[in-house]
Amino acid sequence: MSSPDPLTTVLVGPMGAGKTSVGRQVAKRLGIAFIDTDKRITAEHGPIPEIFTSQGERRFREIEAQIVAAALEEEGVISVGGGAVTSETTRELLHRHPVVFLSVTAEAVSTRIRAGGRPLLEAEDPLARWSEIYQQRLSWYEDVSDITFDTSRRPMQRIADDIAAWRREQA
């Protein structure tokens, strides 16, 4: 596990696990930058739902892999999109960094995913679709991560405290 900065940390997990919320707080506690790869994709290529619609998921995943690879060259707390782990190249890169898997139960995520803007959840039963996607990706999340924190019931601030403490111990 070598990284550009001794406190650089990557957060992976499914849609709605809290990667952005927790990531911002961890970065603040560690005094380093916060990098959200989904926000970078949007800034450089437009809204993610539009990329899915106009260019397809395959092209989106190519863009995502490029953005994640670039972010992993930087220092900070890096939140990657839920599907980033579907890329074998990205998984190989993640193995070179300290990675936290934010897990969450379907019950806890049900209220978090209602906001919309998630192309893969545009289905008759978004929660069932979320569960299906989560199960497909679970082994990848587990494979690339060094530690897991469940965000289902604990306050995000406490989870951020625990992750920051873990990173300081590792560094």
Side-chain angles (χ1 to χ4, degrees):
M1 282 189 325
S2 65
S3 59
D5 176 274
L7 295 175
T8 291
T9 308
V10 183
L11 304 179
V12 301
M15 294 174 272
K19 295 179 299 289
T20 299
S21 301
V22 170
R24 278 194 188 109
Q25 294 180 40
V26 172
K28 186 175 182 181
R29 284 159 176 73
L30 295 176
I32 56 179
F34 174 66
I35 302 165
D36 184 321
T37 60
D38 280 352
K39 291 209 181 340
R40 287 203 173 166
I41 292 168
T42 299
E44 294 180 28
H45 299 274
I48 292 172
E50 288 181 20
I51 298 169
F52 266 77
T53 301
S54 65
Q55 300 177 54
E57 182 178 0
R58 184 177 185 179
R59 177 64 185 132
F60 171 77
R61 295 295 172 207
E62 291 169 358
I63 293 167
E64 180 178 51
Q66 293 167 356
I67 297 286
V68 169
L72 291 173
E73 295 293 321
E74 299 179 45
E75 298 176 355
V77 174
I78 304 162
S79 168
V80 302
V85 296
T86 63
S87 161
E88 184 177 345
T89 303
T90 298
R91 290 193 307 272
E92 288 172 9
L93 292 174
L94 290 171
H95 280 293
R96 301 177 193 165
H97 299 273
V99 177
V100 175
F101 169 29
L102 296 182
S103 65
V104 64
T105 63
E107 296 76 28
V109 85
S110 65
T111 56
R112 299 179 193 176
I113 62 174
R114 286 196 186 130
R118 300 175 192 267
L120 292 178
L121 297 184
E122 291 178 7
E124 190 173 313
D125 185 345
L127 189 56
R129 180 70 181 125
W130 179 91
S131 296
E132 179 185 330
I133 292 168
Y134 185 45
Q135 287 307 309
Q136 290 169 352
R137 298 173 180 171
L138 181 58
S139 63
W140 288 325
Y141 294 137
E142 292 172 338
D143 175 58
V144 300
S145 64
D146 299 296
I147 193 167
T148 301
F149 291 90
D150 189 308
T151 67
S152 302
R153 291 181 184 82
R154 291 182 64 222
M156 296 295 181
Q157 297 86 350
R158 297 262 315 277
I159 295 165
D161 288 341
D162 290 349
I163 294 170
W166 173 74
R167 285 305 297 127
R168 285 188 186 105
E169 288 171 15
Q170 301 301 306

